[in-house]
Amino acid sequence: MSPERKRGASLAGWAPGVDHSAYDADEMEFWTNREISLIQNLLQEKGEMDKDSIGDALGCKYWGPFRFRQSLRAGVERGAFRKVSGGRYAPV
C-alpha cells in the first residue's frame, strides 16, 4: 500500500490509523435520518409491511452493512413508525 493511501474503516468499523471525527458522527446521523424518513414515508403510503418487503421496496441491500436493521430499530425508538409483530412494521 502506498504511503499516500490511508486505510478506511473495516467491516467491523475500526481500522488502525483512522480517527473518527465529529463529522463522521454528523454524517452517520444524516444518513440514519434519511433512511428512517424513507421507511416512514413508505409505511405511510403502503400501510403495514414486513421487513423483507420494506427492504426490497427501498433497495436497502445497497445501504451498507447492518444499516437497514439499525434504521428500523432507530425509527421505532424515535417513534417514526412502530413494530407491530414478528418483523412487521406499521405507520404511527
Side-chain angles (χ1 to χ4, degrees):
M1 181 180 305
S2 67
E4 306 88 44
R5 188 169 173 203
K6 294 191 178 219
R7 290 186 169 191
S10 67
L11 181 58
W14 180 85
V18 176
D19 293 327
H20 292 283
S21 66
Y23 173 80
D24 293 334
D26 290 344
E27 185 176 10
M28 290 305 294
E29 185 63 23
F30 168 83
W31 287 109
T32 299
N33 289 338
R34 180 182 181 278
E35 293 157 359
I36 290 170
S37 178
L38 289 170
I39 297 167
Q40 183 179 27
N41 291 339
L42 178 67
L43 291 173
Q44 287 174 346
E45 181 181 322
K46 303 283 185 180
E48 184 178 318
M49 298 176 73
D50 65 79
K51 181 178 79 165
D52 292 338
S53 297
I54 296 168
D56 290 343
L58 298 176
C60 73
K61 67 183 177 180
Y62 302 108
W63 290 6
F66 308 107
R67 295 291 312 162
F68 181 55
R69 185 184 329 169
Q70 188 272 335
S71 295
L72 284 171
R73 187 178 311 116
V76 170
E77 289 171 0
R78 296 177 187 187
F81 44 87
R82 60 192 171 92
K83 186 170 184 176
V84 182
S85 66
R88 295 191 65 82
Y89 295 85
V92 179

